[in-house]
Amino acid sequence: MRKKIEFLVIGSGIAGLTYALKVAEAGKVLIVTKSKADETATKYAQGGIAAVMYTPDTYNKHIEDTLIAGDFLSDEKIVRMTITESTKRVKELIEWGTKFDRNENGEFNLGKEGGHSENRVLHHKDSTGLEIERALLDKIIHHPNIEIWENHFTIDIITQHHLGEVVKRSSKNIRCFGAYVLDPKTGQVHTVLAKKTMLATGGIGNLYQSTTNPEIATGDGIAMVYRAKGMVEKMEFIQFHPTSLYNPGEKPAFLISEAVRGFGGILKTAEGVSFMEKYDSRGSLAPRDIVARAIDNELKVSGDNCVYLDCRHLNANSLILNFPKIYAKCLSIGINITKEMIPVVPSAHYSCGGIKVDEFGRSSIANLYASGECSSTGLHGANRLASNSLLESIVFSHSASLDALKDYDSIPYEQQVPDWNAEGAVLNEEMILITQSTKELQSIMSNYVGIVRSNLRLTRALDRLKIIYRETEDLYEKSIISVEICELRNLINVAHLVLKMALQRKESRGLHYSIDYPPKKQ
Ligand code: FAD
Ligand code: SIN
């Protein structure tokens, strides 16, 4: 099938949906999403969304907290823009039907998380993402200008490359004409021509054996832009959430929200000794990079499998009221969090880097935007402040929509785009090879490119990766196209970017910690 659409949106999380709602006021929108529409990282968000709502909080305090958490690698102009937009954009989410918890006076019940100097996290108990996704999808489904293709997989964005032109990496002249989209049920690849394309494809957690991310998080958008020779940056900064539930074999790892620590939970060793004070004066509420490294160190020293989050001293009723999902989940595996400590370990959680964009979400490729976790806006620097991700998505999807609406009408559809060429594809019994290579890749990343790195481990990982890369490219050339081979290929592209950028960074900063570059004493 060949389809023409004014606005193509790839991804149905908070970034894709908020952008779609805005541009749909002017033109026709197609949202392509590789699973069910609500199967996104957004749906799993627990803690909430950071925004400045009341005094004593101020924009300047939130800006300062963001810069400190990011180890001063953030773009200050972008931080200022994002934070000063926070109140307006959150109010818009509320107008669209999202319900955040309020206290008896009707004011928002603002939570606190690591690195925040004030209570500023709006939430819906411990299921904030589920509530946001519900409200947005409710509006989307009833919008006359929006069509959704669920269970459709975007293979690649279309650029001049597909017209046979050779373009240089990061060249300013690359243009996006739409995307090739696979319907896995029929095996057909559709050519979708668009005036404006938005990549909102989420994160990369499945590069690792243990991640809080759902299965969809395979870095597809980032890999597509890299293959199209667009700009990708800061991929070395991968955030490990300090407290995922230690429950071996569970995928994705269940998150124990940082908001639990904001509520008074304390990290302890198996012997019940609080340890974070040894590492940072902010204790259990230090920024994530510091807490995850501290836990990593404690585990290496003790040889234990996990540390613990102690909530036993907290008011049991309030704890259950505020964290019903976490309470129920722990109880389901035999842990009553009001009486027992919760076993926790760090897990891959968030990619701070991604597709390089400007303040309007514009990538280096013309007519291609990126928003949400797949993008690198400059907000997070070397480490994201908790609950700034949902915020970043709504701010940049808004600014991207303003930019896209300015000139979309004058952009012609590129008629010369060829349909997908499946010539030469014969193999369709490669599943075991794909599964095995994915496991190998995850093992390499988990063992050599984790919380603590070194040049030796990174180089070893790169050498191993080269072998899997060659094997997979060969398989891809011969295979009948499938979601599984495409996702593996994307993960390998992203792993390459993480390794390349990690090796290029000759310092320890934020989430990138290398024993070869000990941090300078403050
Ligand atoms: P997602 O919500 O992940 O959506 C990505 C979409 O892209 C999906 O629809 C997917 O199907 C689609 N897609 C991907 N590839 C393709 C393809 N090739 N073809 C078609 N479709 C594709 N952040 C906060 O700020 N506060 C929190 O409290 C918080 N809690 C979190 C808890 C958990 C457990 C996790 C995993 C993350 C949490 N985060 C939190 C991070 C935050 O949820 C995500 O960064 C954010 O939701 C990303 O939104 P997104 O729209 O960019 O991507
Ligand atoms: C959490 O609830 O701990 C996750 C918050 C985030 O990732 O921002």
Side-chain angles (χ1 to χ4, degrees):
M1 194 212 298
R2 239 175 133 81
K3 185 175 175 82
K4 287 183 189 164
I5 192 83
E6 282 158 324
F7 300 100
L8 171 62
V9 181
I10 302 165
S12 55
I14 188 170
L17 298 184
T18 50
Y19 170 85
L21 279 175
K22 287 176 175 253
V23 290
E25 294 308 311
K28 294 279 182 202
V29 180
L30 171 65
I31 302 177
V32 174
T33 184
K34 69 176 171 177
S35 184
K36 278 180 61 201
D38 71 346
E39 187 49 13
T40 59
T42 300
K43 179 171 100 172
Y44 296 93
Q46 292 188 359
I49 183 163
V52 175
M53 301 306 283
Y54 311 117
T55 50
D57 200 8
T58 62
Y59 290 132
N60 278 342
K61 286 185 190 171
H62 191 177
I63 289 166
E64 200 183 331
D65 292 346
T66 303
L67 294 171
I68 292 171
D71 212 353
F72 300 97
L73 202 67
S74 308
D75 178 336
E76 197 166 338
K77 187 183 94 185
I78 292 292
V79 175
R80 194 161 288 282
M81 165 195 143
T82 311
I83 307 295
T84 51
E85 273 285 299
S86 64
T87 323
K88 251 198 237 159
R89 299 278 73 84
V90 160
K91 284 187 176 161
E92 192 167 53
L93 274 186
I94 296 165
E95 277 160 27
W96 285 342
T98 309
K99 293 186 173 56
F100 293 114
D101 293 349
R102 293 174 187 263
N103 60 25
E104 50 286 354
N105 303 326
E107 286 170 346
F108 292 110
N109 178 3
L110 301 173
K112 197 169 186 184
E113 292 179 53
H116 288 276
S117 58
E118 292 290 346
N119 283 50
R120 64 166 72 98
V121 182
L122 293 113
H123 56 92
H124 182 98
K125 300 213 183 288
D126 53 358
S127 300
T128 311
L130 187 68
E131 169 60 11
I132 293 175
E133 187 75 16
R134 177 205 63 73
L136 293 176
L137 274 177
D138 207 36
K139 272 193 87 69
I140 292 272
I141 283 160
H142 295 105
H143 202 297
N145 270 356
I146 304 179
E147 183 185 354
I148 305 194
W149 287 1
E150 286 188 310
N151 301 306
H152 277 65
F153 184 89
T154 306
I155 304 169
D156 261 321
I157 52 163
I158 304 170
T159 59
Q160 292 100 311
H161 171 75
H162 296 95
L163 308 181
E165 275 178 45
V166 178
V167 277
K168 283 211 183 100
R169 178 156 302 284
S170 308
S171 143
K172 292 217 166 74
N173 301 321
I174 312 176
R175 297 189 310 282
C176 177
F177 308 128
Y180 289 118
V181 177
L182 169 70
D183 177 354
K185 252 202 199 140
T186 62
Q188 262 202 326
V189 178
H190 305 303
T191 307
V192 181
L193 299 179
K195 290 173 183 275
K196 296 279 185 180
T197 302
M198 162 59 86
L199 286 173
T201 49
I204 65 166
N206 287 289
L207 266 186
Y208 290 87
Q209 287 165 330
S210 174
T211 177
T212 61
N213 292 188
E215 263 182 31
I216 53 104
T218 52
D220 299 352
I222 297 170
M224 286 181 222
V225 167
Y226 177 62
R227 285 195 293 270
K229 299 198 162 60
M231 285 168 78
V232 172
E233 64 169 15
K234 303 213 175 83
M235 293 300 297
E236 67 274 36
F237 299 116
I238 293 175
Q239 186 168 70
F240 288 77
H241 196 293
T243 57
S244 72
L245 181 64
Y246 176 66
N247 187 23
E250 179 167 11
K251 265 197 151 183
F254 181 81
L255 187 74
I256 305 294
S257 175
E258 197 156 306
V260 177
R261 277 176 279 141
F263 198 73
I266 297 171
L267 284 164
K268 294 189 173 167
T269 61
E271 290 75 35
V273 179
S274 169
F275 59 83
M276 269 312 300
E277 297 69 24
K278 279 193 294 187
Y279 299 90
D280 194 285
S281 59
R282 289 161 288 187
S284 293
L285 274 180
R288 274 184 202 164
D289 53 339
I290 296 169
V291 181
R293 243 183 343 263
I295 295 177
D296 188 69
N297 190 52
E298 289 292 317
L299 296 180
K300 278 182 181 140
V301 171
S302 67
D304 289 343
N305 289 324
C306 61
V307 294
Y308 292 84
L309 187 59
D310 193 356
C311 299
R312 294 172 298 179
H313 56 290
L314 302 174
N315 179 290
N317 287 338
S318 304
L319 188 65
I320 297 169
L321 195 70
N322 280 280
F323 303 102
K325 190 161 105 183
I326 292 172
Y327 174 72
K329 171 68 191 182
C330 292
L331 208 55
S332 78
I333 60 164
I335 300 161
N336 180 342
I337 66 171
T338 66
K339 298 196 170 78
E340 291 156 278
M341 297 200 292
I342 313 171
V344 291
V345 281
S347 279
H349 182 64
Y350 185 83
S351 168
C352 294
I355 302 159
K356 184 174 166 52
V357 296
D358 66 7
E359 69 264 42
F360 291 103
R362 291 181 293 216
S363 74
S364 62
I365 299 178
N367 301 322
L368 181 73
Y369 299 85
S371 178
E373 193 167 337
C374 69
S375 69
S376 173
T377 62
L379 177 68
H380 308 309
N383 171 45
R384 174 176 67 96
L385 182 67
S387 288
N388 263 358
S389 167
L390 296 172
L391 173 64
E392 178 189 49
S393 302
I394 54 176
V395 169
F396 282 82
S397 287
H398 171 73
S399 64
S401 74
L402 297 181
D403 192 76
L405 289 172
K406 271 200 301 213
D407 66 345
Y408 80 97
D409 228 4
S410 62
I411 295 164
Y413 293 110
E414 177 55 67
Q415 306 292 352
Q416 304 306 315
V417 170
D419 282 335
W420 182 258
N421 179 4
E423 246 172 56
V426 287
L427 278 180
N428 67 352
E429 50 186 333
E430 75 287 358
M431 260 326 282
I432 182 68
L433 303 179
I434 295 173
T435 313
Q436 200 48 40
S437 294
T438 306
K439 281 189 186 150
E440 274 176 49
L441 174 68
Q442 289 168 339
S443 157
I444 292 169
M445 294 302 289
S446 304
N447 290 317
Y448 301 132
V449 202
I451 295 172
V452 175
R453 302 165 177 180
S454 72
N455 285 334
L456 183 65
R457 289 182 218 170
L458 294 175
T459 311
R460 181 168 289 197
L462 199 57
D463 288 344
R464 304 286 191 277
L465 187 71
K466 280 179 192 157
I467 300 169
I468 306 181
Y469 169 74
R470 273 197 307 274
E471 289 172 353
T472 306
E473 284 303 297
D474 188 46
L475 201 59
Y476 179 80
E477 294 297 318
K478 294 184 190 140
S479 296
I480 291 168
I481 196 96
S482 69
V483 172
E484 291 79 9
I485 184 80
C486 289
E487 285 184 339
L488 171 59
R489 195 168 175 244
N490 290 337
L491 283 171
I492 291 170
N493 283 173
V494 171
H496 170 77
L497 288 166
V498 172
L499 280 164
K500 197 179 83 174
M501 293 182 195
L503 278 164
Q504 276 164 1
R505 185 160 290 281
K506 309 280 182 218
E507 62 177 341
S508 283
R509 194 144 185 194
L511 295 158
H512 175 73
Y513 185 90
S514 168
I515 55 174
D516 295 312
Y517 309 105
K520 293 181 195 82
K521 291 262 177 297
Q522 302 283 311

